[in-house]
Amino acid sequence: MQGEPHEAAAEAMPSSEDSEEGPNDASDIPQNISDADAFKLLWAMKMKRRQKKPALPETVTELVTEDGGKVYIVGTAHFSDSSKRDVVKTIQEVQPDVVVVELCQYRVSMLKMDEKTLLKEAKEINLEKLQQAIKQNGVMSGLMQMLLLKVSAHITEQLGMAPGGEFREAFKEASRVPFCKFHLGDRPIPVTFKRAIAALSFWQKAKLAWGLCFLSDPISKDDVEKCKQKDLLEQMMAEMIGEFPDLHRTIVSERDVYLTYMLRQAAKKTELPRISETEPRECVPSVVVGVVGMGHVPGIEKHWSEELNIQEIMSVPPPSLSSKILRSVVKATFFGLMGYGCYCVGTST
């Protein structure tokens, strides 16, 4: 259902972090203990590890819900080793009930892939991938997806590092926290691409595609780390707004709203573990860790106390006349090249 958090992992096992008293991990719980007592021990372990005054990285923003829940937003740079460390430290310090990441169900596969596989995937952009993207998302959205994948591959090649490392660390670390859920908090990427394409004029689409196709500026790890600085990032965003304001609205601003909504949904009161349905329900304020790109943090702060309705930003407008024309041109060019290729092969044979 729209608006409900996408849950990628339910209850998680505890970490093996040392503790002065009580069980250190699940293996320390006696085998003959009842389920009810085991639940209570795990919950007590989690509460003991949760720091009342956590020592958090500078990239973390703390927000509070109306019913007393706490949300710790880790602003990250998507190709940063230090961002991965920030995520791990935050989860260990606050022992959250829910971890929310800036991913949707269409990109969840990157959580299970290793760095080597992701590096290979990012670098291998071929005709088969293009056809698959067009089949799934339509001509324009498919082309946009491939162009953005090219940008990702360019950064991957420059840095020798695959994207999404902070999300994989969040997934692994959440699995070590007792009774911690893992939610996918981003808007489905096909919706974002289709709304982005619909917002651009024909010439804006051509200009954007040209810029992405010929991207060649070198990128260093220092450049990536600078993206964790809010002031510098806002300056970069302002430059992009000047050239493609509608693109910024659909790719950044609308997703700020969506991420805010999903974080607030995840921060609703947590029901304490029960061994049976006959036990009375008891709820407590939630602790949530959100892992998002630093560029989304100001928008989430801005919308945190507002009334939000995500139905409007989930709709996909019908294709414009320019999109229909461009789609026809792309199809004609593609089939023309295929036909010419077959003709050349036949002639040579």
Side-chain angles (χ1 to χ4, degrees), residues 141-160:
S141 296
L143 289 173
M144 173 69 77
Q145 184 175 339
M146 284 297 99
L147 288 171
L148 291 177
L149 185 58
K150 181 183 182 297
V151 174
S152 178
H154 171 68
I155 300 174
T156 297
E157 186 177 3
Q158 294 280 322
L159 301 179

Side-chain angles (χ1 to χ4, degrees), residues 198-265:
L200 296 177
S201 68
F202 176 83
W203 295 113
Q204 283 178 319
K205 293 170 188 173
K207 186 176 182 180
L208 177 65
W210 180 267
L212 291 174
C213 280
F214 293 94
L215 179 72
S216 59
D217 294 337
I219 298 169
S220 68
K221 291 191 176 182
D222 288 339
D223 294 331
V224 172
E225 292 302 322
K226 287 177 184 177
C227 289
K228 294 170 66 180
Q229 302 172 21
K230 290 186 181 181
D231 293 341
L232 180 62
L233 198 63
E234 287 174 2
Q235 180 183 341
M236 292 164 61
M237 288 293 184
E239 292 174 1
M240 190 173 81
I241 290 172
E243 196 165 4
F244 300 105
D246 293 327
L247 191 65
H248 180 273
R249 173 176 55 80
T250 53
I251 291 182
V252 181
S253 300
E254 289 183 358
R255 287 171 61 228
D256 289 346
V257 173
Y258 192 91
L259 287 164
T260 304
Y261 179 86
M262 298 303 275
L263 284 165
R264 286 190 348 204
Q265 289 291 104

Side-chain angles (χ1 to χ4, degrees), residues 14-309:
S15 70
S16 57
E17 184 181 327
D18 291 336
S19 178
E20 291 181 2
E21 55 184 87
N24 290 325
D25 56 31
S27 62
D28 289 343
I29 298 175
Q31 295 297 315
N32 59 349
I33 195 172
S34 68
D35 288 344
D37 288 337
F39 275 26
K40 289 176 183 177
L41 276 173
L42 284 172
W43 185 260
M45 181 197 311
K46 176 173 177 171
M47 291 300 102
K48 182 170 181 164
R49 290 178 179 167
R50 181 177 286 174
Q51 300 297 319
K52 292 182 179 179
K53 294 182 179 180
L56 299 175
E58 294 180 355
T59 53
V60 176
T61 300
E62 182 180 345
L63 298 171
V64 180
T65 64
E66 292 180 356
D67 55 14
K70 291 185 178 181
V71 178
Y72 299 93
I73 303 173
V74 189
T76 68
H78 293 316
F79 288 83
S80 166
D81 281 329
S82 66
S83 283
K84 292 191 279 188
R85 293 191 292 270
D86 290 351
V87 168
V88 171
K89 181 173 178 59
T90 303
I91 293 175
Q92 289 177 348
E93 287 282 314
V94 305
Q95 293 289 294
D97 304 304
V98 186
V99 171
V100 181
V101 296
E102 185 197 329
L103 286 177
C104 67
Q105 64 266 40
Y106 293 90
R107 294 181 290 154
V108 72
S109 60
M110 72 163 53
L111 293 175
K112 297 291 182 70
M113 289 184 182
D114 57 78
E115 291 278 328
K116 187 181 292 185
T117 304
L118 283 165
L119 282 168
K120 184 180 178 182
E121 287 284 322
K123 291 177 181 179
E124 291 181 355
I125 302 175
N126 51 39
L127 183 61
E128 184 180 348
K129 284 187 178 180
L130 176 60
Q131 289 175 324
Q132 186 178 2
I134 291 175
K135 184 178 179 180
Q136 289 178 345
N137 305 310
V139 175
M140 287 306 303
S141 296
L143 289 173
M144 173 69 77
Q145 184 175 339
M146 284 297 99
L147 288 171
L148 291 177
L149 185 58
K150 181 183 182 297
V151 174
S152 178
H154 171 68
I155 300 174
T156 297
E157 186 177 3
Q158 294 280 322
L159 301 179
M161 183 188 302
E166 72 273 36
F167 303 137
R168 288 188 291 280
E169 289 298 323
F171 183 69
K172 287 188 288 185
E173 205 59 41
S175 70
R176 300 186 178 110
V177 179
F179 306 110
C180 181
K181 296 181 179 180
F182 190 89
H183 288 173
L184 307 175
D186 202 1
R187 181 172 66 178
I189 199 166
V191 176
T192 298
F193 278 142
K194 287 173 182 177
R195 287 184 62 84
I197 291 298
L200 296 177
S201 68
F202 176 83
W203 295 113
Q204 283 178 319
K205 293 170 188 173
K207 186 176 182 180
L208 177 65
W210 180 267
L212 291 174
C213 280
F214 293 94
L215 179 72
S216 59
D217 294 337
I219 298 169
S220 68
K221 291 191 176 182
D222 288 339
D223 294 331
V224 172
E225 292 302 322
K226 287 177 184 177
C227 289
K228 294 170 66 180
Q229 302 172 21
K230 290 186 181 181
D231 293 341
L232 180 62
L233 198 63
E234 287 174 2
Q235 180 183 341
M236 292 164 61
M237 288 293 184
E239 292 174 1
M240 190 173 81
I241 290 172
E243 196 165 4
F244 300 105
D246 293 327
L247 191 65
H248 180 273
R249 173 176 55 80
T250 53
I251 291 182
V252 181
S253 300
E254 289 183 358
R255 287 171 61 228
D256 289 346
V257 173
Y258 192 91
L259 287 164
T260 304
Y261 179 86
M262 298 303 275
L263 284 165
R264 286 190 348 204
Q265 289 291 104
K268 290 181 176 179
K269 284 192 172 184
T270 296
E271 183 180 325
L272 295 180
R274 296 186 300 155
I275 189 60
S276 69
E277 293 296 325
T278 58
E279 287 189 27
R281 296 177 182 272
E282 185 180 353
C283 295
V284 295
S286 293
V287 173
V288 177
V289 170
V291 182
V292 304
M294 182 60 78
H296 291 293
V297 176
I300 292 171
E301 289 184 272
K302 174 186 173 184
H303 297 298
W304 189 251
S305 300
E306 298 176 359
E307 289 290 330
L308 301 177
N309 183 354

